[in-house]
Amino acid sequence: MPERRTVALVTLGCARNEVDSEELAGRLAADGWELVENATDADVAVVNTCGFVEAAKKDSVDALLEANDLKDHGRTQAVVAVGCMAERYGKDLAEALPEADGVLGFDDYADISDRLQTILNGGIHASHTPRDRRKLLPISPAERQDAAVALPGHAQEIAPAPADLPEGVAPVSGPRAPLRRRLGTSPVASVKLASGCDRRCTFCAIPSFRGSFISRRPSDVLQETRWLAEQGVKEVMLVSENNTSYGKDLGDIRLLETLLPELADVDGIERIRVSYLQPAEMRPGLIDVLTSTPKVAPYFDLSFQHSAPGVLRAMRRFGDTDRFLELLDTIRSKAPQAGARSNFIVGFPGETEADLAELERFLTGARLDAIGVFGYSDEEGTEAVGYENKLDADVIAERLAHISQLAEELTSQRAEERVGETLQVLVESVESEEDGPVAVGRAAHQAPETDGQVVFTAREGLVPGRMVEAKAVGSEGVDLVAEHHELAEAAR
């Protein structure tokens, strides 16, 4: 009997990282590793790090140190860093954090089992040397599909699986088929639509370590969605660095418009959600599909970042307050209950008081359901690091606090506006609280992790994975309180 090998995956960061972790889990399970939920029960703890901003990097380092502490009083024998921070810093991270027994880049994912076994046996796998992954793919998008480059979450180089593939691992029926193992029981799962980004925003380092934009083939996305439906998933969220560019390297920039109805037709899937949309790339046909296709959520995760024209140009982005408001008006004219959210950076180099006032004007008129606000900080390797007119840290902190408070007030008001609406809510959990079990779910305008949720007034007949019609009867901050229609009718 082969020796028992256990591994736990600790995932930090965005939904894209969650997909990558489930690919790693699928590869490991296929090679005989036993996946465990808690790092204390694992021979190897794999921490999928985030390398986006300083706070995320700190969280990643803290998670690695916490996992390292388990070596003294748990089963854990090795701690390995993977993910964006590991890819971005490679051997520099390994030297700065000797507590990590290995720092693996994206190129190691296809051989993750061998890498972990080597480290578990006391061997050393050399940490990779960071490089600009944009240079690994052709400049022309049309020439990228056949490039041999590691693309986490795409699983393009998987060999056919054995007949006795462990339960919960996606079946393989060809070299481009998915290999994935679910790490939870949520009725919601993300699917990679693409990887990388061709935009050159001056504040963002992501393209340098995620690479240039490359789409997954529609057949791959469909196959993975069908498999997730077989696993009990009811909602699929399509993720990438920029979903509005999907298909441009496949010869059809409108490919998303044809793919969405096909995904919505997958048996068992109740809702399709699209995230990460670029306002400058929104087109009428895509808006039409997102607002009129059954089972496709009229949900718009729009990356505005700011609304003052001068700041946007310095960010190497496009648009202004009036154009952004016009875009939202167009969306709501087609789907009045459409959800909209965005993130914003305050304190960007050169941002004036007038620019901040312009951002306030936009936020006040936009009626967004969720708003994320970040204070600017230099990200090494980005163009903005060399900008002049940097704002003092205390000025950035003051503006961050001001806009954050405004965002909280505005999103609470938006939730109040939704009281009385009829909602399609996917029940996600039944939680135990002091007053008894409480059912919690999300409506079409609420994405996992980033947005608000729906709390039901009663839980009878509600189980995770059930899509129900409900009426919003109250709000608590960004959250809604709702009454399940069947219960309301029974009370009459």
Side-chain angles (χ1 to χ4, degrees), residues 234-369:
K234 299 300 181 183
E235 177 180 326
V236 164
M237 185 165 72
L238 300 178
V239 299
S240 76
E241 279 73 22
N242 178 9
N243 280 334
T244 34
S245 283
Y246 180 68
K248 73 175 187 179
D249 51 324
L250 294 171
D252 185 0
I253 191 60
R254 296 177 177 80
L255 195 55
L256 184 55
E257 286 94 304
T258 57
L259 177 60
L260 285 171
E262 294 183 71
L263 293 171
D265 283 342
V266 172
D267 288 342
I269 296 298
E270 297 285 346
R271 185 155 65 201
I272 300 291
R273 184 185 303 275
V274 183
S275 61
Y276 306 113
L277 301 169
Q278 288 292 340
E281 297 181 30
M282 291 300 294
R283 47 195 179 270
L286 180 56
I287 294 174
D288 287 343
V289 170
L290 288 170
T291 55
S292 66
T293 307
K295 295 189 178 181
V296 173
Y299 175 79
F300 293 81
D301 176 11
L302 295 159
S303 180
F304 290 121
Q305 302 300 343
H306 211 284
S307 73
V311 176
L312 287 169
R313 300 304 176 271
M315 291 178 168
R316 210 181 297 281
R317 297 179 66 83
F318 308 95
D320 55 45
T321 295
D322 292 331
R323 275 190 277 182
F324 290 164
L325 290 175
E326 183 180 353
L327 172 61
L328 291 169
D329 286 343
T330 298
I331 290 168
R332 289 172 177 141
S333 70
K334 297 175 181 295
Q337 289 187 217
R341 77 168 320 277
S342 191
N343 293 326
F344 300 87
I345 298 172
V346 296
F348 194 79
E351 181 190 63
T352 65
E353 290 286 353
D355 293 330
L356 196 69
E358 186 68 2
L359 176 58
E360 289 186 48
R361 182 170 81 88
F362 171 68
L363 292 174
T364 302
R367 296 168 58 229
L368 299 174
D369 292 284

Side-chain angles (χ1 to χ4, degrees), residues 137-158:
L137 289 167
I139 294 176
S140 171
E143 298 175 3
R144 294 174 186 168
Q145 282 293 317
D146 296 324
V149 175
L151 297 168
H154 290 223
Q156 290 176 299
E157 298 176 309
I158 302 294

Side-chain angles (χ1 to χ4, degrees), residues 63-96:
L64 288 163
L65 293 174
E66 183 178 341
N68 183 68
D69 290 342
L70 298 175
K71 294 179 186 176
D72 297 329
H73 51 266
R75 179 188 176 100
T76 309
Q77 301 173 50
V79 175
V80 176
V82 299
C84 291
M85 189 175 180
E87 173 65 34
R88 184 176 182 184
Y89 297 106
K91 62 182 182 180
D92 292 336
L93 176 62
E95 292 172 1

Side-chain angles (χ1 to χ4, degrees), residues 185-188 232 234 270 425-431 437-442 456 458-468 484 486-487:
T185 59
S186 171
V188 183
K234 299 300 181 183
E270 297 285 346
V425 183
L426 178 64
V427 181
E428 290 194 356
S429 65
V430 178
E431 304 171 356
V438 175
V440 177
R442 286 178 305 100
F456 287 94
R459 63 167 292 266
E460 286 80 9
L462 300 180
V463 294
R466 184 181 176 190
M467 184 75 77
V468 299
H484 181 199
E486 291 181 10
L487 295 178

Side-chain angles (χ1 to χ4, degrees), residues 441-473:
R442 286 178 305 100
H445 69 279
Q446 299 167 319
E449 306 297 334
T450 58
D451 303 341
Q453 60 187 14
V454 174
V455 180
F456 287 94
T457 55
R459 63 167 292 266
E460 286 80 9
L462 300 180
V463 294
R466 184 181 176 190
M467 184 75 77
V468 299
E469 188 172 276
K471 181 179 181 180
V473 295

Side-chain angles (χ1 to χ4, degrees), residues 90-91 94 101-105 108 115 118-119 123-129:
K91 62 182 182 180
D101 299 287
V103 176
L104 306 181
D108 292 306
R115 300 287 187 265
T118 296
I119 294 169
I124 297 176
H125 177 70
S127 301
H128 79 104
T129 300

